[in-house]
Amino acid sequence: MNIVAIIRNAVGFAGLLFLGLEDIRRKELVSLQILIMGALGLVLSFLCGAWKEPGMLLSYLPGIVFLLIAYVGRECIGYGDGLVILCLGAYLSPGQIFELCMAALTLAGLVALGLMLAAHKGRRTTLPFVPFLLAGYVIVMVRKICFGG
């Protein structure tokens, strides 16, 4: 892994950390911050040569799907969450972004189930999703470091 790829991973982590804290605190995401994270990801991906990999455009598919779900489901998932996932396509390979989404959805589902059972929260209770994306990002990076690829 070259230095630009390491910087790209660190910027992705820092961006998710910042957006996750913002999502917890304000229960909404600022589009400009997401745009900055996405633009940095694109520049760093270009510099480390990730754009040359075949199928790299597939990394953006989960973000597009989440944005469509937000539109069709009347924001059952926020547009900001879809935009963050779309930006993560610049930081991760297609397999990693799908792994991150599955991890985040699983963790969010487990927390929601726990809140329903223990805290008697209902189906209408909202959860900030970016912290789960951050946890998924950490899972993907740890797996990448420990097991390669």
Side-chain angles (χ1 to χ4, degrees):
M1 185 182 308
N2 65 29
I3 190 71
V4 178
I6 293 170
I7 292 170
R8 183 177 70 157
N9 290 334
V11 168
F13 175 81
L16 273 178
L17 180 63
F18 179 78
L19 288 172
L21 292 172
E22 196 69 16
D23 199 12
I24 290 170
R25 191 172 59 101
R26 295 179 58 200
K27 300 258 187 202
E28 65 180 8
L29 298 167
V30 178
S31 299
L32 180 62
Q33 296 163 346
I34 299 169
L35 182 66
I36 291 169
M37 182 181 167
L40 282 172
L42 287 174
V43 169
L44 291 168
S45 290
F46 181 77
L47 290 176
C48 74
W51 59 274
K52 295 178 187 176
E53 295 178 26
M56 197 60 192
L57 287 178
L58 288 176
S59 295
Y60 299 101
L61 186 61
I64 293 167
V65 169
F66 272 78
L67 286 170
L68 287 173
I69 291 170
Y71 178 74
V72 172
R74 293 186 216 114
E75 284 199 79
C76 60
I77 294 176
Y79 286 112
D81 298 323
L83 289 173
V84 170
I85 295 168
L86 189 65
C87 288
L88 286 173
Y91 293 90
L92 300 170
S93 70
Q96 290 171 332
I97 192 77
F98 284 104
E99 181 182 351
L100 177 142
C101 289
M102 290 297 105
L105 288 169
T106 300
L107 291 170
L110 290 173
V111 168
L113 181 63
L115 287 172
M116 287 174 74
L117 295 175
H120 305 291
K121 298 288 182 179
R123 292 181 62 207
R124 299 282 179 217
T125 302
T126 60
L127 291 174
F129 190 61
V130 177
F132 297 107
L133 292 173
L134 176 61
Y137 192 85
V138 169
I139 290 168
V140 168
M141 289 299 116
V142 167
R143 191 194 58 75
K144 181 178 179 181
I145 291 167
C146 293
F147 303 109

